[in-house]
Amino acid sequence: MDLETLKQKILKTYPGADLSLVESAYEFASQAHAGQFRRSGEAYIQHPLEVAAILADLQMDATTVAAALLHDVVEDCSVCIPDLETRFGKEVASLVDGVTKLSRLDFTSREEAQLENLRKMFLAMARDLRVILIKLADRLHNMRTLGYLREDKQRSIAQETLEIYAPLAHRLGMADIKWELEDLAFRYMEPEKYREIARLVAQKREERESLTQELMAQLRQKLDEVGIKADISGRPKHLYSIYKKMYRQGKDITELYDLIAIRVIVDEVKDCYGALGVIHSFWRPLPGRFKDYIATPKPNLYQSLHTTVVGPHGQPFEIQIRTWDMHRTAEYGVAAHWRYKEGRTDPDFDRKLSWLRSLLEWHTEMREARDFVEAVKVDIFADQVFVFTPKGHVVDLPAGATPIDFAYAIHTDIGHRCVGARVNGKLTPLDTPLKSGDIVEILTSKSSPGPSIDWLKIVKTSTAKNKIRQFFKRERREEDLQRGREALDREIRRLGYEPHELLKDEWLAEVRKKHNLASDDELLVAIGIGTLTASTVAGRLRDLFERERQRAEGVAAVTPPPATERKEWEGYRKPSSGIHVKGVDGVLVRFSRCCSPVPGDPIIGYVTRGRGVAVHRLDCPNLPAMARDPDRLIEVGWEEGYSASHPVEIQIVAIDRAGLLAEVAGIVADSRINVLSSMSRGHRNKLATIDMVLEVRDLTQLQYVLQKIRKVRDVLSADRVVHENRARGSVGS
C-alpha cells in the first residue's frame, strides 16, 4: 500500500475531493514513525496506511482517513494531542485522541489498563462513531498480521477480538469486518478445529459450487419470466459460523442448511416480496426458517428477507433477498449512513443507534471500569431478543431480559410504577424471560411504592439495575435523613450534652471532611442508612467541644509537624521501633490500639506509667483526654525508610449481595495485603457490614486499598475504624 493507491481509493468514492489533508497527515506520520518497524520487519508507516485503506474502502471521508494515518503517532511517538490540533484541526485531533490508549497513565495491573482503555474507547465512540470505525480497521489489520507475534500474545489478542471487536462490528452492522475478525480470531484461538473445518469445507467445494451455479441459473430464469430484475450471487459461509453450529449445537457439517447460500439483490422493496413469492412457488420452503428483517430490522440497521428452501436434489439452502440500499447497509453498516458524509443526515440514524446513549449514562453511574465493560458486553453485545409494545414498536433487549427490563427500556417512571405484566395477552410473572416476537404490556399503578430491592436479582440490563439503585438512593433519602437526625440527637443527649452545644457548623464540617461527605444532610443520611454510626459522629463532636473548652481554659494541645515535613532530627535520639522520640534514647515504644497509626500518619507520643511511650495519631479522638495532662505528651516522628507491617481495622458498608465478600477479599489479595481477621454480617435493611483487620506497611498502601474497595459495585463506604472505648487502656495510667 502506498499514498497514491490510497488517494485513488478515496477519489473513487469522492471524485474531485481535496486530498491535501490526507497528504499532509501521511507526510507527518511518515516522519513521526521514521525508524520504527513492525514485528514483520516492514516499515511501521505501512500499518497506518493499511488502516486508512480499509476505511477508504468503507467510503469514509478524508478527515477520517487522515485521522487513521495519524492514529498511532501519540501513543508511539513524541507527539501530543495539542500538536495535532494545531496542525490538523480539532476534529482530527479528537478522533486520534479517542483511539489512543491510556498508556501514559499508571495502572496497578495490565487488566485494569485494558479495561480503562476499552472504557475510554466506548465513550469516545458514543460521542463520535468514527472513533470506533478507525479502531475496528486498526484491529482488522493487526489480526491480518497476527502471525508474527508470540503464541500467547496471539491467543490473548484473538480472545479480545472475539469478545469485544467482532460483536461491536456486528452491532454496527459491518458484516464483512465482523466475519473476517471472527475467522482470523478463530484461526488463532482454535487452530486444530480451524484446520479441520477448513478441510471439511474444501472436500466438497467443487460439488457445492456446481450446485450453487445450477440453482442460481434456475432462479434467474424464474425471475426473468415475471420481469423482476435482480443480481444473483453465491454467498460464502464463514468458518467460524460453521464452527459455532457444529460444536456448540452438536451438528454434523451435512446438517447445516446454509453451506449453500444465494443472495438476491433487487431495485425496490416490492421486488423483494415478489422474488420471495417466486422462490416459494418454485422450491418448497422449510417451516420456521423464514425471517422478515425488512419489516422488523435488526438493531444494527440490517434489513433483508431470509428463507430456507429445499432444492431439486433434496439439499436445503438459504436465500437472502434485499434491495441495493439494504445491501450497502449490510456490507458497510453505520458507515453507509454516515451523518458527516457530504453534510447529509439520516433522520432515523440517531433513533436506530439510541443504544449508544446508554454508554454515556453508564459512564456517570459506574465508577469501576470492569463494571462498565461488563455492562457493555451484557447489554450491547449479548444475543438479542426483539419484543413489541402493544402499539407495535420494536424493543431490543439482551437474551434473558424480563418484563421489568422492558418497562425500564420504555421509560424510568413506567419501570418504577410497574406492578405486573401481560405477555401475549396473558398475565405473566415479572421474572419471566422474554422471547423474540412477544408482545409485552406493562401494568402500572400510581399508588405503587416503587421497585423492590429484589428486582436487582431479576433484571438483566444495566439500565434497569442502575435505575432501581438510583430509586432507593433518592426515594429513601428523606426517611434516612430523619432517622439519622434523630439517632444523632439521641446519642448526643446520652453523652450528657444538648444537640445545640455540639452541632456547630465548623465541627460538623470537620467530621464531614474526615468521611468525605459534601453536606450536613449527607452526614445525617450516612447515619440513617448505617454507613456511619451515631456514636462515632457524636463522640467526635464531643471531642471537638472538649478541645475548644480546654483551649479556652488555657490547656494547649501539642501539634508537632508531620514526619514527612521534618528534615532534621535535632533533639531526637536513636529511633526505637521505627519511631524517633525527642529527648529520650532507648525508650520502650508501642503503637496504640485505639487509632492504629501506620507510617505516614501524623503522630504524637504519650508517656505512660511503666509502659513506655504510646504512639497515637494526631486525629485520635482520645487526644483531648490526654491533653489534660500536657506534660506527658511528647513529640515523636517516623524513622525515614522504616518498613514494617502494622495492623489496621477497617469497616466496609455495602448493599448486601452474593459474591461481595469474595470481591473485596480479591482486591485486598491483589494489593498484596495480608488479612489478619474478617467478619461480615447482614442487616434487615439489605445492608451488610464487613470488618477486616489488615496488615499494611504505610498510609499510602492503606489509602490505596480503601480507594479500590470504595469502587466495588454496591459498596457505600470503606473507612478506618477508631475505638474510643479503648482509650483508657491505650493511654495508660
Side-chain angles (χ1 to χ4, degrees):
M1 176 60 61
D2 55 27
L3 177 61
E4 193 57 38
T5 305
L6 175 63
K7 288 163 63 177
Q8 291 304 314
K9 286 178 176 287
I10 300 171
L11 290 173
K12 184 179 178 180
T13 305
Y14 302 97
D18 181 6
L19 299 182
S20 58
L21 180 65
V22 173
E23 293 169 344
S24 179
Y26 172 76
E27 180 181 351
F28 185 91
S30 295
Q31 294 175 359
H33 291 299
Q36 295 180 351
F37 296 91
R38 305 196 83 209
R39 293 288 178 88
S40 62
E42 65 181 1
Y44 194 90
I45 188 62
Q46 281 300 311
H47 171 62
L49 264 173
E50 293 289 350
V51 172
I54 292 171
L55 291 164
D57 288 337
L58 289 173
Q59 303 181 359
M60 297 306 296
D61 58 345
T63 301
T64 310
V65 173
L69 288 168
L70 298 164
H71 79 274
D72 273 340
V73 297
V74 174
E75 186 177 336
D76 295 336
C77 312
S78 55
V79 177
C80 59
I81 294 298
D83 292 340
L84 293 181
E85 186 171 343
T86 300
R87 183 156 185 158
F88 299 101
K90 187 174 182 179
E91 194 174 3
V92 170
S94 176
L95 291 173
V96 175
D97 185 42
V99 179
T100 301
K101 292 180 182 177
L102 306 174
S103 55
R104 298 184 179 180
L105 299 180
D106 293 326
F107 297 103
T108 58
S109 66
R110 182 183 178 278
E111 182 185 25
E112 182 185 2
Q114 182 184 38
L115 292 170
E116 286 292 354
N117 284 324
L118 289 172
R119 180 189 184 112
K120 178 189 176 186
M121 181 186 72
F122 288 135
L123 293 174
M125 174 185 77
R127 299 184 179 100
D128 192 330
L129 264 175
R130 290 175 295 180
V131 167
I132 201 59
L133 299 182
I134 296 171
K135 188 61 185 177
L136 284 173
D138 173 57
R139 177 52 61 107
L140 179 57
H141 184 250
N142 283 333
M143 290 299 296
R144 288 172 178 173
T145 57
L146 197 59
Y148 295 99
L149 300 184
R150 297 191 319 266
E151 185 176 342
D152 61 322
K153 194 74 171 175
Q154 290 173 353
R155 291 181 61 84
S156 174
I157 294 174
Q159 182 71 36
E160 185 183 55
T161 299
L162 278 180
E163 289 184 356
I164 300 294
Y165 292 98
L168 186 55
H170 172 69
R171 199 67 164 89
L172 296 173
M174 307 175 76
D176 282 353
I177 289 181
K178 176 224 176 195
W179 287 332
E180 187 174 357
L181 287 174
E182 286 181 339
D183 278 0
L184 288 169
F186 175 40
R187 176 182 175 184
Y188 293 103
M189 286 292 297
E190 300 282 356
E192 293 183 5
K193 291 178 180 177
Y194 177 88
R195 287 191 291 268
E196 177 190 357
I197 291 176
R199 179 181 57 80
L200 290 173
V201 170
Q203 280 179 350
K204 295 188 175 182
R205 185 186 301 275
E206 290 186 7
E207 177 185 336
R208 196 166 52 251
E209 289 180 351
S210 174
L211 178 58
T212 301
Q213 291 298 325
E214 177 187 343
L215 295 172
M216 287 167 53
Q218 293 177 0
L219 179 56
R220 188 174 291 110
Q221 178 183 347
K222 291 298 178 182
L223 293 178
D224 286 343
E225 289 176 1
V226 296
I228 296 177
K229 182 182 176 183
D231 181 272
I232 303 174
S233 60
R235 181 180 67 82
K237 188 67 177 175
H238 294 270
L239 298 184
Y240 184 67
S241 178
I242 296 173
Y243 161 74
K244 287 194 296 184
K245 291 189 176 181
M246 286 181 61
Y247 286 92
R248 296 185 182 179
Q249 298 179 19
K251 293 185 177 181
D252 187 81
I253 195 168
T254 58
E255 300 179 78
L256 302 184
Y257 293 152
D258 50 359
L259 283 181
I260 297 177
I262 294 175
R263 181 174 291 148
V264 179
I265 306 177
V266 297
D267 292 330
E268 300 181 46
V269 173
K270 64 180 181 62
D271 293 333
C272 292
Y273 292 97
L276 178 68
V278 171
I279 291 166
H280 281 182
S281 65
F282 186 58
W283 290 307
R284 179 171 58 85
L286 282 181
R289 297 287 300 177
F290 169 67
K291 296 176 182 177
D292 187 346
Y293 293 121
I294 295 179
T296 308
K298 291 184 178 182
N300 62 5
L301 315 178
Y302 178 85
Q303 288 183 288
S304 190
L305 298 177
H306 289 198
T307 186
T308 300
V309 298
V310 180
H313 305 289
Q315 171 67 52
F317 66 99
E318 184 184 70
I319 301 178
Q320 298 177 354
I321 312 166
R322 62 180 68 145
T323 66
W324 285 103
D325 284 343
M326 294 174 190
H327 180 64
R328 187 165 178 272
T329 298
E331 296 297 303
Y332 300 122
V334 295
H337 291 255
W338 190 244
R339 65 193 308 172
Y340 296 94
K341 181 180 174 182
E342 300 176 1
R344 296 198 302 261
T345 60
D346 179 347
D348 293 330
F349 190 79
D350 285 335
R351 179 181 59 81
K352 292 173 181 176
L353 295 176
S354 60
W355 56 271
L356 279 173
R357 289 195 294 271
S358 300
L359 300 180
L360 297 176
E361 292 176 5
W362 296 339
H363 172 60
T364 61
E365 295 165 356
M366 297 181 186
R367 294 173 294 179
E368 190 70 27
R370 181 188 303 275
D371 294 338
F372 180 86
V373 174
E374 286 303 314
V376 172
K377 286 182 181 180
V378 172
D379 281 23
I380 305 300
F381 298 159
D383 292 335
Q384 303 287 302
V385 294
F386 307 96
V387 296
F388 295 87
T389 68
K391 293 184 178 181
H393 298 300
V394 180
V395 177
D396 61 290
L397 296 166
T402 66
I404 303 174
D405 293 293
F406 176 87
Y408 280 104
I410 300 299
H411 196 280
T412 301
D413 287 342
I414 292 178
H416 287 344
R417 300 202 310 268
C418 173
V419 294
R422 287 194 180 96
V423 177
N424 303 323
K426 297 181 179 179
L427 285 173
T428 304
L430 291 176
D431 61 352
T432 303
L434 298 174
K435 303 185 298 294
S436 288
D438 283 344
I439 300 173
V440 184
E441 179 186 359
I442 299 299
L443 307 178
T444 62
S445 171
K446 291 183 178 179
S447 60
S448 168
S452 165
I453 195 73
D454 292 330
W455 286 7
L456 289 172
K457 301 175 183 177
I458 297 173
V459 296
K460 300 298 181 183
T461 61
S462 300
T463 297
K465 289 179 180 178
N466 289 329
K467 297 300 183 185
I468 293 168
R469 290 192 186 104
Q470 289 173 7
F471 172 86
F472 285 105
K473 287 181 180 178
R474 182 179 63 252
E475 296 297 319
R476 295 186 176 179
R477 181 180 174 83
E478 289 302 320
E479 179 183 337
D480 294 331
L481 182 67
Q482 183 62 28
R483 188 187 302 114
R485 181 179 290 110
E486 292 173 355
L488 183 57
D489 287 353
R490 187 166 55 249
E491 184 63 22
I492 289 173
R493 289 191 174 95
R494 191 187 68 80
L495 294 176
Y497 301 86
E498 287 299 318
H500 71 271
E501 293 181 292
L502 303 189
L503 297 178
K504 303 293 185 182
D505 290 342
E506 61 271 23
W507 299 340
L508 287 169
E510 190 168 332
V511 175
R512 292 201 321 267
K513 183 179 180 181
K514 176 179 174 60
H515 296 284
N516 297 316
L517 298 169
S519 67
D520 291 348
D521 281 356
E522 284 194 20
L523 178 66
L524 295 174
V525 168
I527 297 172
I529 63 177
T531 59
L532 268 180
T533 63
S535 60
T536 297
V537 176
R540 183 60 178 154
L541 292 171
R542 175 203 61 196
D543 295 337
L544 292 169
F545 174 87
E546 290 297 333
R547 186 177 68 183
E548 184 67 25
R549 183 179 63 80
Q550 292 162 8
R551 184 179 291 114
E553 295 174 357
V555 179
V558 179
T559 56
T564 54
E565 297 177 5
R566 189 183 297 114
K567 303 299 182 184
E568 302 294 339
W569 291 102
E570 292 89 350
Y572 291 79
R573 301 297 178 87
K574 183 179 178 181
S576 175
S577 300
I579 296 293
H580 290 277
V581 181
K582 188 171 184 179
V584 182
D585 194 4
V587 69
L588 174 65
V589 173
R590 62 186 180 84
F591 299 100
S592 64
R593 291 179 299 144
C594 58
C595 56
S596 302
V598 298
D601 280 324
I603 53 177
I604 191 170
Y606 183 82
V607 180
T608 66
R609 293 188 174 95
R611 299 178 63 193
V613 174
V615 178
H616 293 259
R617 285 161 38 195
L618 272 179
D619 61 351
C620 178
N622 301 306
L623 191 58
M626 293 183 280
R628 295 172 185 170
D629 194 356
D631 292 337
R632 297 171 69 179
L633 292 173
I634 188 169
E635 291 187 35
V636 295
W638 296 103
E639 177 189 359
E640 289 188 23
Y642 170 63
S643 178
S645 296
H646 293 262
V648 176
E649 186 174 350
I650 67 170
Q651 185 175 87
I652 303 155
V653 179
I655 298 174
D656 200 2
R657 63 173 171 84
L660 175 65
L661 180 59
E663 202 167 332
V664 171
I667 286 177
V668 175
D670 290 343
S671 303
R672 300 179 185 274
I673 293 175
N674 185 38
V675 180
L676 295 177
S677 68
S678 175
M679 183 180 71
S680 61
R681 56 191 184 278
H683 306 285
R684 292 182 179 178
N685 56 359
K686 301 292 184 180
L687 295 178
T689 301
I690 302 173
D691 294 307
M692 306 181 85
V693 179
L694 311 179
E695 273 192 331
V696 301
R697 62 176 178 268
D698 54 29
L699 183 61
T700 301
Q701 188 183 36
L702 174 62
Q703 290 174 336
Y704 169 80
V705 73
L706 286 175
Q707 183 181 16
K708 294 292 291 182
I709 292 172
R710 289 176 187 131
K711 290 183 178 180
V712 172
R713 178 169 59 87
D714 296 328
V715 167
L716 302 175
S717 68
D719 297 289
R720 294 172 78 170
V721 175
V722 176
H723 292 281
E724 297 173 60
N725 59 347
R726 292 180 180 172
R728 187 179 302 277
S730 299
V731 171
S733 57

